[in-house]
Amino acid sequence: MFGHADVEITGYAGTDSCVSMSPVHRGAYAANGVGSMSRVKEIIRVREKLESGQTLEFQEKRLLCNELMTREPRMEKLIVKWFDEEDYRTVLRHKVGDGVIGGKACGVLLARKLIREKLPEYESLLLPHHSWFIGSDVFAEYLWEENFSERTKREFGELLDHLGGDPYVVRSSSTLEDGFDHAFTGKYESVFCTNQGKEDERIEELRAAVFRVYKSVWNESAVEYRRTRGLTHTDERMALLVQRVEGMRMGGYYLPLAAGMGCSYNPYKWMEQMNPEAGMLRIVAGLGTRAVERTPGDYPRLIALDRARGSLYATAGERHKYSQRQVDVLDLKSAGHRTIWLEELMPLLPERGKKLILSHDTDAEQRLQEMGRYRPVLFADCQGIAYDNDFMRMMQRILKMLEGEYGRPVDIEFAMEEGEDGKIHLNLFQCRPLRQ
């Protein structure tokens, strides 16, 4: 279970990450009987071997995985199988503090690695990945001191230097989250940061976002989730995943052209001929929050990957009626996440992207023409994306490959942009196994 500075801390075990430990971390080690001196020496030896460019043995990779990433046996097996020395060095270069990086971070790193290794023909269509990891031991600083060490503050500054002025999102990545047994879907907060202003303002924005996610571990829904699944006394440590928001500036807003989520198994059969095993996508224009959250009166584009062009709606008017009307964006002026009407965004969209997400309501346009008042009537149904056969094929192959490696269905979250080559490029930023 989680604790707080003035509340019970039973069950918070710290980690075996002993290099450069603060007094807080050393206290956690002593209190929980972990981090023996022999293990500390072995970790230091393996770290030095890694940083000197030497090849690691299997058990050394396993030790490094346990120190940096996860101890969950099934995820550990996949990471040790597929990660090479440079992958571990990349984690170290992008890590703040000690401890593990948690379930969500492991999931996205593993998924991207698997795509590069097993579907190399799609590597050129993967957008660059810009993520940092705040280790679970930083949460111990919050629990014990309600502040951050000087080392952590310095590394926060390095993180922001790496991101430049790009917006980012701070996401939970606890040791139980997005795993084989527990998803914690929507239980912890994610906080978008526009990353604008002076240096001290940007650092304070990051600090506040980190605190906000940490505090969400005591949300009523998170506490109830742990209680109903018998996890109240299970050691769960909170790491954080800091990801650059994929997108571009459009006027005073920042957003991707489109984003969404996908499942390798389609639990919804809205057409008789559909094959659930083919998987499905939910896609929206703008930030993907509207694809993963319920939006009454607003409709994402649902795509069955074996019948991507199939639709429940026979006419353009029906498609318009059941389409997306609002778009989630980052407002760079007010420094926050907000929802705007599609009509406000339309003039700001790049011309190359309009054909992917906008369609004409030809029924309405014909009626207007008959009245002598013709004007274009556009709506967002992401029809151009659904009709891109190469992209649909890529998404289906990625989802089935990940399902095969995990040994069960998976879901993913992603954003899309149209490249200079005219192809849709993908940024994958979450992957998790679905519970059976």
Side-chain angles (χ1 to χ4, degrees):
M1 67 179 287
F2 290 109
H4 196 264
D6 55 356
V7 186
E8 180 183 19
I9 309 177
T10 304
Y12 183 81
T15 72
D16 282 357
S17 177
C18 301
V19 182
S20 304
M21 279 196 301
S22 70
V24 166
H25 303 141
R26 287 194 294 270
Y29 278 57
N32 291 277
V34 296
S36 66
M37 186 55 65
S38 60
R39 183 177 175 88
V40 172
K41 289 180 179 178
E42 181 65 4
I43 290 169
I44 293 173
R45 183 191 68 79
V46 173
R47 287 275 295 268
E48 289 176 345
K49 185 175 179 180
L50 176 73
E51 291 165 5
S52 68
Q54 299 180 58
T55 301
L56 300 181
E57 302 294 332
F58 173 83
Q59 288 300 333
E60 292 172 330
K61 288 185 177 181
R62 186 166 179 257
L63 179 67
L64 205 56
C65 176
N66 292 165
E67 183 208 3
L68 296 178
M69 303 187 73
T70 183
R71 294 182 182 175
E72 200 284 318
R74 287 160 291 188
M75 181 61 76
E76 175 201 277
K77 182 178 179 180
L78 287 168
I79 289 173
V80 173
K81 176 182 177 181
W82 289 104
F83 273 40
D84 57 28
E85 287 77 7
E86 184 55 30
D87 296 318
Y88 290 113
R89 283 191 284 267
T90 298
V91 173
L92 283 168
R93 285 195 298 267
H94 291 81
K95 189 161 174 281
V96 172
D98 295 314
V100 294
I101 63 175
K104 188 177 271 97
C106 287
V108 67
L109 290 176
L110 177 62
R112 294 179 67 92
K113 177 68 174 182
L114 287 169
I115 293 171
R116 291 195 301 270
E117 293 293 329
K118 303 207 69 176
L119 296 172
E121 62 269 33
Y122 295 134
E123 185 172 3
S124 64
L125 298 178
L126 275 183
L127 291 164
H129 182 58
H130 299 281
S131 289
W132 278 65
F133 318 102
I134 300 179
S136 56
D137 280 4
V138 178
F139 185 59
E141 297 175 11
Y142 171 74
L143 289 178
W144 288 90
E145 300 175 353
E146 296 189 332
N147 205 344
F148 297 121
S149 67
E150 290 305 312
R151 172 193 169 190
T152 299
K153 292 175 182 176
R154 182 183 71 253
E155 291 177 350
F156 277 174
E158 294 171 359
L159 184 162
L160 291 176
D161 287 343
H162 175 83
L163 290 170
D166 293 336
Y168 59 90
V169 59
V170 179
R171 311 180 73 192
S172 62
S173 182
S174 91
T175 52
L176 295 181
E177 193 174 1
D178 287 1
F180 282 84
D181 296 318
H182 308 287
F184 283 85
T185 306
K187 304 306 176 187
Y188 302 133
E189 287 205 49
S190 294
V191 181
F192 287 97
C193 298
T194 56
N195 198 23
Q196 307 297 298
K198 299 178 181 178
E199 182 178 1
D200 58 338
E201 294 172 331
R202 294 166 59 227
I203 290 176
E204 178 55 31
E205 182 183 37
L206 172 59
R207 178 180 174 277
V210 169
F211 278 159
R212 184 172 160 186
V213 179
Y214 281 164
K215 289 177 180 178
S216 72
V217 303
W218 296 284
N219 284 346
E220 183 177 344
S221 61
V223 172
E224 180 64 12
Y225 184 94
R226 291 193 291 269
R227 186 190 68 79
T228 58
R229 287 160 177 78
L231 301 174
T232 303
H233 298 288
T234 300
D235 173 31
E236 181 184 14
R237 291 161 278 159
M238 180 59 75
L240 301 178
L241 173 60
V242 181
Q243 295 177 307
R244 176 189 174 274
V245 176
E246 183 59 48
M248 66 187 80
R249 291 174 183 262
M250 300 185 194
Y253 303 125
Y254 186 95
L255 64 154
L257 182 65
M261 60 84 63
C263 296
S264 64
Y265 180 87
N266 185 357
Y268 313 105
K269 192 172 183 180
W270 60 86
M271 289 185 293
E272 183 61 31
Q273 305 87 348
M274 284 169 41
N275 176 14
E277 298 289 342
M280 58 86 69
L281 305 177
R282 287 166 56 97
I283 297 177
V284 296
L287 295 173
T289 43
R290 299 190 77 76
V292 298
E293 299 173 358
R294 292 187 179 274
T295 54
D298 218 23
Y299 302 90
R301 177 63 182 254
L302 297 181
I303 300 172
L305 285 171
D306 61 328
R307 294 183 176 272
R309 300 191 179 197
S311 175
L312 286 172
Y313 314 116
T315 68
E318 288 179 338
R319 285 167 44 216
H320 189 175
K321 181 178 179 180
Y322 297 102
S323 66
Q324 180 183 357
R325 288 170 168 75
Q326 295 180 300
V327 182
D328 284 359
V329 301
L330 293 181
D331 189 330
L332 299 178
K333 296 177 182 177
S334 64
H337 172 273
R338 61 176 291 204
T339 301
I340 64 173
W341 291 100
L342 177 65
E343 287 75 12
E344 183 181 352
L345 180 65
M346 281 185 184
L348 306 175
L349 289 169
E351 289 300 320
R352 291 183 304 163
K354 288 181 179 179
K355 68 180 186 297
L356 291 176
I357 63 174
L358 299 180
S359 293
H360 283 267
D361 185 339
T362 52
D363 296 340
E365 289 176 349
Q366 183 176 348
R367 289 194 299 271
L368 288 169
Q369 187 172 18
E370 291 170 354
M371 293 185 291
R373 293 159 43 193
Y374 175 82
R375 63 177 176 82
V377 180
L378 297 169
F379 62 98
D381 66 348
C382 298
Q383 183 96 315
I385 296 173
Y387 276 41
D388 189 312
N389 294 331
D390 290 338
F391 183 71
M392 292 296 110
R393 175 63 176 159
M394 178 179 75
M395 296 304 291
Q396 186 174 13
R397 290 188 66 197
I398 287 174
L399 283 165
K400 298 315 289 186
M401 179 275 292
L402 293 172
E403 178 182 276
E405 287 299 318
Y406 273 88
R408 64 174 63 178
V410 299
D411 73 15
I412 62 173
E413 294 180 17
F414 56 90
M416 296 165 280
E417 302 290 351
E418 186 181 34
E420 295 292 336
D421 56 4
K423 297 179 180 179
I424 299 176
H425 291 240
L426 176 75
N427 194 341
L428 183 69
F429 48 79
Q430 181 170 307
C431 177
R432 64 185 171 198
L434 298 175
R435 292 188 67 191
Q436 294 179 322

